[in-house]
Amino acid sequence: MLSREELFNRARELLPAIRDRAPATEALRRIPDETIADLRNAGLLRIANPQRYGGYGLEPDVLFDIAMELASACSSTGWCFCVVLIHNWMIGQWPEQLQEEYFATDPDTLASSSFGPRGRLESAPGGFRLSGRWDFSSGCDAASWALLGAMSDEGPFWVMVPRADYAIVDTWFVSGLQGSGSKDIQVDDAFVPRHRVIKLPKLHERIGDGWGLHGRSSYRLPIFSMLSQAIPTPLVGMAQGAVNEFVASLSGKKGPGRTADSVALQLRLAESSAEVDTARILIRHNVAEMLERAQRGDYELSELDMIRYRRDGAFAVRLCVQATGRLFEASGGGGIYTSKAIQRFFRDINAASHHTSLYWDFIAEQYGRGLLGQAMAMTSASARPAGPDK
């Protein structure tokens, strides 16, 4: 068993090597084997596992905070760490047979994903047949399973597929987040047993009996509760990395011009660092609120609750993108050299912010409609005449 403090200490010890490795990670277009080995040897890859499968009995808030630390050194490493390991928390809510199968050989087992229902699922004796192609499967090179979305005659499903049943298609030639290795997954008529398939839940619904199996408070919550925070979390770390690099670039520089004495640069740094701190506080607050509700038994989150958490995550990302862009603008011509980390953070955070779950206009519209609809319903209810009618 490792404590929260020990895990953080181990993660911070890795930061210099991960930071030095960031350019090579980008050039490789996936997380290097050395980085995966470092994370495994530090015990960090099992941080989100249920305790019976090698976990430490900690909640996903620890995963998120460590992901921010890693992303401040290397965007792609922090991104993959967070979005891949949240799957191991999710697995704790699947059928027990799948959990036993998934963790059977190694508590450091990893799964990449592509949640969009782009595949086709057809009924077959004892299960289903699956075919399709999925994009944006971050960290797939290090994974031995894939969590994929598929459509059947009964609607959308999630499907777990072992590495032997799919191929990785290298399509990842992009402008940012290059080291995440978010390649395509191809499945051609693979058989999928029933215990590896679950009906896609609604935003505010729980699945399975993760609480009964593992006694972990977060398993009382909808599966989208923690998943909704896993995507924006590493972007906070990326923005913090940009702040750190900007400070380092001015350290020791005095006098007129682009130096630490420049009031204009001081103002930009203050505003950007405030935005990053605000984004971090917002995400931490929402995760803590959900976990506290689960612990005291108030875990029936409404659809509006869930949309609010998504709204806050997307808004935190807007703050982080603004903060990073402001500092990159102020970095001058020198900031555009590939040897400078700030240009990589700028490209990475803009690429990551294009994730479909972070599209601000859509999420803001959902929340505004939901809040106004709720207000209208309350107004209509209060306007009803008193009487016995129901």
Side-chain angles (χ1 to χ4, degrees):
M1 295 298 293
L2 297 176
S3 68
R4 179 191 184 102
E5 292 72 23
E6 176 61 21
L7 290 165
F8 268 93
N9 289 337
R10 293 185 179 199
R12 288 176 181 136
E13 288 173 359
L14 297 179
L15 293 184
I18 289 175
R19 185 179 295 110
D20 291 344
R21 216 176 276 147
T25 300
E26 183 171 63
L28 188 62
R29 296 184 301 109
R30 64 175 177 84
I31 306 302
D33 295 340
E34 296 88 344
T35 298
I36 299 296
D38 286 346
L39 295 170
R40 178 185 294 110
N41 293 337
L44 297 177
L45 292 184
R46 61 185 67 179
I47 198 170
N49 292 16
Q51 194 167 346
R52 70 159 71 171
Y53 301 119
Y56 308 121
L58 301 171
E59 294 292 12
D61 58 331
V62 181
L63 163 64
F64 296 154
D65 281 351
I66 290 179
M68 290 183 196
E69 292 281 339
L70 296 176
S72 73
C74 173
S75 303
S76 293
T77 299
W79 172 268
C80 288
F81 181 82
C82 198
V83 302
V84 170
L85 288 191
I86 197 62
H87 302 151
N88 286 13
W89 172 80
M90 293 170 63
I91 291 299
Q93 301 195 45
W94 280 60
E96 187 174 10
Q97 186 178 355
L98 182 277
Q99 297 183 45
E100 294 287 343
E101 185 177 17
Y102 179 82
F103 290 112
T105 58
D106 189 357
D108 295 320
T109 297
L110 303 175
S112 65
S113 67
S114 185
F115 291 116
R118 296 184 177 89
R120 182 64 189 173
L121 199 62
E122 302 282 357
S123 294
F128 303 87
R129 308 296 304 190
L130 176 69
S131 293
R133 182 159 171 167
W134 296 259
D135 51 10
F136 297 105
S137 193
S138 298
C140 58
D141 290 290
S144 51
W145 289 78
L147 199 171
L148 306 172
M151 186 66 70
S152 78
D153 293 338
E154 302 174 33
F157 284 80
W158 280 341
V159 185
M160 288 295 297
V161 183
R163 183 66 184 84
D165 289 347
Y166 63 87
I168 296 174
V169 185
D170 188 0
T171 55
W172 196 240
F173 299 92
V174 290
S175 61
L177 216 61
Q178 294 174 8
S180 68
S182 306
K183 303 167 185 176
D184 286 11
I185 299 294
Q186 178 78 40
V187 177
D188 295 316
D189 193 34
F191 175 73
V192 183
R194 291 189 181 277
H195 66 273
R196 296 185 193 163
V197 177
I198 61 169
K199 182 82 171 178
L200 182 65
K202 293 181 180 179
L203 198 64
H204 61 292
E205 289 181 341
R206 295 188 304 277
I207 65 169
D209 187 24
W211 166 251
L213 289 171
H214 306 299
R216 196 172 176 183
S217 294
S218 57
Y219 285 140
R220 289 175 158 178
L221 297 167
I223 199 166
F224 283 108
S225 61
M226 297 297 126
L227 185 59
S228 69
Q229 304 306 297
I231 301 301
T233 287
L235 280 82
V236 177
M238 297 176 204
Q240 184 63 58
V243 170
N244 296 346
E245 290 297 330
F246 191 79
V247 170
S249 71
L250 298 178
S251 180
K253 293 183 179 180
K254 298 290 184 178
R258 203 176 299 277
T259 71
D261 293 332
S262 168
V263 173
L265 298 185
Q266 292 167 2
L267 293 175
R268 282 182 176 249
L269 177 60
E271 188 171 2
S272 289
S273 61
E275 286 174 329
V276 177
D277 288 347
T278 301
R280 183 184 297 105
I281 290 168
L282 188 57
I283 289 177
R284 282 178 171 170
H285 167 78
N286 283 345
V287 173
E289 180 180 281
M290 285 186 276
L291 291 174
E292 287 168 5
R293 288 184 63 170
Q295 288 164 5
R296 67 173 183 261
D298 179 24
Y299 49 82
E300 296 294 341
L301 305 183
S302 69
E303 188 164 358
L304 187 61
D305 287 332
M306 294 301 300
I307 296 173
R308 173 169 62 87
Y309 295 134
R310 290 187 65 199
R311 177 206 67 182
D312 289 352
F315 188 74
V317 166
R318 285 168 67 87
L319 292 176
C320 290
V321 171
Q322 289 173 185
T324 304
R326 184 182 298 107
L327 297 182
F328 180 63
E329 286 177 355
S331 65
I336 69 173
Y337 282 93
T338 56
S339 59
K340 300 297 183 180
I342 196 164
Q343 56 80 30
R344 187 168 55 252
F345 283 118
F346 175 76
R347 289 185 292 105
D348 289 343
I349 201 168
N350 276 279
S353 71
H354 281 70
H355 192 281
T356 185
S357 69
L358 301 176
Y359 184 53
W360 171 253
D361 290 352
F362 176 70
I363 295 170
E365 179 190 5
Q366 279 189 314
Y367 180 76
R369 184 190 297 118
L371 190 60
L372 291 171
Q374 184 182 74
M376 289 172 63
M378 292 172 64
T379 300
S380 299
S382 65
R384 293 172 187 160
D389 295 339
K390 299 294 184 183

